[in-house]
Structures are given as structure tokens and as C-alpha cells.
Amino acid sequence: DDQSSPTWPFTTDDYDATTLLRCKAAGASEFGSCPGGIQRMENRQASIVVQNQQGEQFTINFMTDYVNATNREVNATLEGDTWILRFANGEVWEVPLAAIEGG
């Protein structure tokens, strides 16, 4: 386990890919980086397990017809090649299509 990895605690031992996503905590003015582990599925779908700045882990599901997240409400908008995710708790996340599709 390489805890010095920027995508810790996610590793390619457990996921198809790991990534750092732009994320902003509720009330924050600047984006930071949050780690994620990507499980890719067919038809350009994926589930990404992420960890926010507070250390909470949750899953965002990018399906053909919807985007949802475990245990939280999300409003997802595709802007260009990036999903902008606005959560009910005030967090904002950016997820590039390349992370989902592996392009």
C-alpha cells in the first residue's frame, strides 16, 4: 500500500484506473484535488468511488441515462467533455469524460 500516492487510498490493484478529480468543499472558494477509483463498464459507463476533503468516501455512478451518487443528492450537468456535479451538501466536483470512458 503506497500511502504516498496522490490517489491513495485508491489503487489499480482494486480499480481499472485511479484519478485525481477537481473538487470543492461546501463554502470553499477554490477547487482542490480529491482521489478516486474508477470501475469502468461497457457502453461508456462507470462507477467512481471518491474521497472528499473531509475523508468521506462515496460512489458516483455514471450510467447511460442518469448520474447518481450513494447517500447524497446530485445535480449533474455535462459541460463540454466534463461532468459538473453539484451536490445538495454544497460540494462541487468535476469529472472529465476521459475518466469515465478511459479515452
Side-chain angles (χ1 to χ4, degrees):
D1 290 354
D2 183 5
Q3 295 189 30
S4 67
S5 166
T7 59
W8 174 261
F10 307 106
T11 70
T12 52
D13 293 345
D14 302 314
Y15 296 93
D16 295 323
T18 58
T19 188
L20 282 174
L21 299 170
R22 284 170 47 87
C23 58
K24 186 162 56 173
S29 57
E30 300 292 323
F31 278 91
S33 294
C34 294
I38 305 166
Q39 293 283 28
R40 294 190 177 117
M41 295 168 256
E42 56 191 27
N43 299 324
R44 299 197 303 270
Q45 302 179 105
S47 289
I48 304 179
V49 182
V50 295
Q51 182 170 292
N52 67 14
Q53 286 106 328
Q54 289 73 44
E56 295 176 282
Q57 288 188 16
F58 61 97
T59 302
I60 307 167
N61 299 300
F62 295 89
M63 301 294 121
T64 302
D65 298 323
Y66 64 89
V67 175
N68 71 10
T70 55
N71 75 15
R72 58 196 67 209
E73 289 294 313
V74 62
N75 181 331
T77 310
L78 186 59
E79 297 182 10
D81 60 359
T82 303
W83 281 101
I84 309 299
L85 307 177
R86 294 176 179 88
F87 290 92
N89 66 1
E91 288 181 34
V92 180
W93 289 67
E94 295 183 1
V95 180
L97 282 178
I100 298 163
E101 299 174 1

